[in-house]
Amino acid sequence: MKILNSCNFCKKFCKEFKEFALQGNVFELAIGIIIGTAFANVVKSLVEDIITPPFGLLLGGVDFRDLTVEMHNFVYQDQPPVVIRYGKFIQELIYLLIIGLVLFFIIKSMNKLHGLAIKRQLEEGMMKKQELSNEVKVLLEIRDILIKQTPVIDEIML
């Protein structure tokens, strides 16, 4: 009996997971992750292969990947020294700054586009308010005709 219950549980779980996985949001998220990973690899290559080599050249031909500090192991003399790779850390900081700047510009652009869209919606709303409906136009014509047909009160009083 327990086996049947667990099979029913598995079937229900698989059905719910299938419904979840086939929603549009999951596919959009997966595509975003794939594109984000590819972008991260491009930026990483940009930092490691294009940006840091000129800085290393300016610093006397230093390769940032080789910038390390070796700490000799005083307790266990037969063990290799501990290596702190601060050059790699500097590369990762540059990588983080570039990603941060790109995200900043993307969000800034999205906010600007959102502001323009809201402004356009407000302008369209004002245009709709300025445009009169056919009923209102007919009523205004009737008013104008009535004004022309009725004598002015001052003429009647004289």
Side-chain angles (χ1 to χ4, degrees):
M1 191 66 170
K2 288 184 179 183
I3 295 174
L4 290 176
N5 287 338
S6 64
C7 286
N8 289 334
F9 174 77
C10 290
K11 286 180 185 179
K12 184 179 177 184
F13 176 78
C14 290
K15 181 181 175 188
E16 289 177 2
F17 183 76
K18 181 180 175 184
E19 290 173 2
F20 169 76
L22 293 178
Q23 290 178 351
N25 296 342
V26 175
F27 287 120
E28 292 168 3
L29 179 63
I31 291 169
I33 289 171
I34 292 168
I35 290 172
T37 303
F39 178 72
N41 290 336
V42 169
V43 172
K44 190 170 196 120
S45 175
L46 174 74
V47 170
E48 291 178 356
D49 301 328
I50 295 174
I51 293 177
T52 54
F55 285 129
L57 186 65
L58 292 174
L59 295 173
V62 175
D63 186 3
F64 274 80
R65 287 176 281 204
D66 295 335
L67 294 177
T68 59
V69 173
E70 289 186 7
M71 297 175 56
H72 294 286
N73 196 338
F74 296 110
V75 178
Y76 302 105
Q77 303 265 334
D78 57 333
Q79 297 292 325
V82 175
V83 178
I84 299 174
R85 294 177 180 87
Y86 69 92
K88 181 73 173 160
F89 179 73
I90 292 171
Q91 283 182 328
E92 294 297 325
L93 282 177
I94 295 170
Y95 171 72
L96 175 69
L97 288 174
I98 290 173
I99 294 286
L101 284 172
V102 168
L103 289 176
F104 170 75
F105 287 125
I106 288 172
I107 291 171
K108 187 174 180 177
S109 300
M110 288 176 59
N111 287 340
K112 188 172 184 177
L113 289 174
H114 182 68
L116 290 174
I118 289 175
K119 185 177 178 183
R120 184 180 298 145
Q121 286 176 350
L122 290 175
E123 288 174 355
E124 288 175 1
M126 295 300 287
M127 294 292 238
K128 287 180 182 178
K129 286 182 181 178
Q130 290 177 357
E131 292 179 12
L132 300 174
S133 66
N134 288 334
E135 294 87 12
V136 173
K137 289 179 184 177
V138 170
L139 287 173
L140 289 175
E141 288 177 13
I142 293 171
R143 181 198 67 187
D144 293 341
I145 292 171
L146 287 175
I147 287 175
K148 289 179 185 176
Q149 288 180 353
T150 56
V152 180
I153 295 179
D154 290 338
E155 293 176 5
I156 294 176
M157 298 298 260
L158 292 176

